[in-house]
Amino acid sequence: MSDSHQGNVVAAFLRPLGDAVRTVPELRYLARITGSKVTLIVKAGWQRDLYAGLEYVGDVLSLDKWRVPLWLSPAQRAVVRRLKTASPRLGFVLSRRAKFAKLSRLLRRAGVPANGIVDDIPGWRAVDPHFPDFRPDRRDLAPPELSVTPDEQAAMRSRLERECGWTGGTLVVLHPGCGAMKRSGGMGREGGKNWSWRNWVALAAALREAAPDALVAFTGSGDERELTERICSEAGGRGARLVSLAGQTSMRELLALQSLASSGIATNTGASHTAMAVGCPLVSIFGNHDPRIFTASSFGWGPCHTVRGADMAAGSVAKEDSPVNRIRPATVFTAWRDLPARTDRPGDKPYVRHYLEGGGVEEVTFAEEKRWGVG
């Protein structure tokens, strides 16, 4: 690594939860290649909690309402002041188009030289002639991993015992919602990523029959509480050891819950990424996207079985053409039943298998393995 790459480093991006988790390997790589902890500029305050405990991350600075002009935003001005005291020499912008322009202007105001502002992370997806020593190796392509402390786990165990009567044993965490819930009402429109609530009822009933002593906990945002409570009610109620925690967990509490879970099932949304990044064996239900096009950083160190629609070609389709509701609860249950047991430590790459509605299981090779020959 040349001396020109030394010094304080800032990475700026405006991404939702799932993409924020997918960024973790890039940040880990950036810290290694520059020899510096990475200061982050992020979209919202909750992301400070997401990255807590990661040794390669320094300050996490939130822009809050990033679309507001700088002169109207105390949060943005505070970010500029904080960066000026750190005097970063390199700023990596992991956003495109209007977001890239906004973040570049902010970095220049904070004193990052114009020639030190870099679009994306050099060497991560292709060799960059300006940064010839920036190139990932097997360590960098390890799956995303988020941190949960023993105290956080202990607090969650105590809460589950107090509120749900759970004293250990099988814990299955289900996350039926996705970001579209906020825009489409609590029960969500069918299509896109949204798997019908009726399918979740049938799946919860199958889980009850297969593991009658298990606690099944539903998570989600406050906007998804109506959905999770209806599923619990239709599938048997609290007496059936089905509980809704939607809207009742902070980011750190969600991570603690998922870190204790024996397994989980979720749509392809932010909470599926956090679950895998704390080691939870997971079934991820894909709607209008094909999991075969996703990279290693899209998963985590917890094993994952994806389920996709029968007529999903490699790529993406319009939300209204999503085959998500052709996925049967029985197929998702099979993928859950086949999950390997939880392990204590991550491997050097994600464990992922793709289940196809209608039959068939595919192993996976990630794009990074083909690109860099580190499989």
Side-chain angles (χ1 to χ4, degrees):
M1 181 172 58
S2 67
D3 291 341
S4 63
H5 300 153
Q6 298 282 0
N8 292 321
V9 175
V10 58
F13 50 90
L14 303 171
R15 296 182 171 179
L17 177 56
D19 288 344
V21 177
R22 291 168 62 183
T23 303
V24 165
E26 300 175 57
L27 300 175
R28 185 176 57 210
Y29 159 76
L30 187 57
R32 182 184 70 81
I33 212 75
T34 61
S36 175
K37 283 190 175 185
V38 182
T39 297
L40 303 185
I41 300 176
V42 298
K43 184 176 184 178
W46 57 261
Q47 286 176 287
R48 295 192 190 96
D49 293 334
L50 182 68
Y51 297 111
L54 300 183
E55 61 181 11
Y56 45 86
V57 173
D59 287 342
V60 183
L61 310 175
S62 168
L63 295 182
D64 198 12
K65 298 177 181 178
W66 71 271
R67 291 184 177 85
V68 175
L70 179 72
W71 60 277
L72 285 176
S73 172
Q76 292 180 38
R77 295 197 299 273
V79 168
V80 170
R81 289 194 300 271
R82 178 67 186 87
L83 288 179
K84 283 183 175 179
T85 65
S87 301
R89 295 173 56 187
L90 287 173
F92 298 89
V93 181
L94 284 64
S95 295
R96 298 286 189 262
R97 296 183 293 276
K99 294 178 181 178
F100 176 83
K102 169 90 175 186
L103 292 169
S104 297
R105 288 195 299 270
L106 188 145
L107 289 174
R108 289 197 299 272
R109 285 180 178 272
V112 181
N115 62 1
I117 298 175
V118 184
D119 182 2
D120 216 337
I121 296 182
W124 182 254
R125 294 172 182 84
V127 175
D128 190 316
H130 300 291
F131 296 84
D133 52 345
F134 278 37
R135 183 186 178 106
D137 60 22
R138 183 183 296 276
R139 293 170 296 173
D140 303 311
L141 300 180
E145 182 179 2
L146 297 175
S147 175
V148 179
T149 69
D151 286 347
E152 289 173 325
Q153 289 184 321
M156 180 52 65
R157 285 193 187 94
S158 177
R159 177 179 174 183
L160 291 175
E161 180 178 2
R162 183 176 64 255
E163 297 181 8
C164 309
W166 185 72
T167 56
T170 302
L171 170 63
V172 185
V173 176
L174 272 57
H175 192 94
C178 66
M181 292 294 178
K182 185 177 293 186
R183 298 185 293 274
S184 60
M187 296 302 292
R189 292 189 300 264
E190 294 189 359
K193 295 182 178 182
N194 292 334
W195 203 43
S196 169
W197 68 270
R198 296 177 180 85
N199 288 332
W200 285 102
V201 170
L203 179 61
L207 293 175
R208 281 183 55 204
E209 183 175 350
D213 295 328
L215 176 66
V216 180
F218 288 82
T219 59
S221 68
D223 296 301
E224 295 158 354
R225 185 163 181 80
E226 178 187 356
L227 170 68
T228 59
E229 288 185 343
R230 183 167 187 178
I231 294 169
C232 287
S233 175
E234 295 283 342
R238 190 179 183 90
R241 295 180 64 78
L242 305 174
V243 296
S244 170
L245 300 177
Q248 301 178 62
T249 57
S250 66
M251 175 57 63
R252 297 304 305 172
E253 288 170 332
L254 174 64
L255 295 179
L257 176 67
Q258 293 175 329
S259 75
L260 295 175
S262 310
S263 60
I265 305 172
T267 55
N268 171 35
T269 191
S272 67
H273 293 277
T274 59
M276 290 181 284
V278 295
C280 179
L282 184 82
V283 175
S284 184
I285 302 168
F286 277 72
N288 58 317
H289 295 94
D290 190 329
R292 292 173 296 179
I293 67 174
F294 281 57
T295 61
S297 61
S298 301
F299 299 96
W301 68 269
C304 179
H305 289 171
T306 72
V307 182
R308 72 179 192 275
D311 53 358
M312 171 65 77
S316 303
V317 298
K319 290 183 178 181
E320 59 271 18
D321 296 327
S322 171
V324 66
N325 278 322
R326 297 173 204 159
I327 296 174
R328 296 172 301 143
T331 304
V332 177
F333 178 81
T334 297
W336 172 80
R337 184 197 60 201
D338 293 348
L339 280 171
R342 185 176 191 121
T343 59
D344 293 332
R345 61 183 61 185
D348 60 357
K349 72 175 188 178
Y351 168 95
V352 182
R353 300 179 74 190
H354 299 314
Y355 283 66
L356 177 66
E357 174 57 53
V361 179
E362 298 176 352
E363 304 296 336
V364 62
T365 300
F366 299 112
E368 297 93 338
E369 298 177 77
K370 299 173 183 177
R371 183 184 303 133
W372 301 112
V374 295

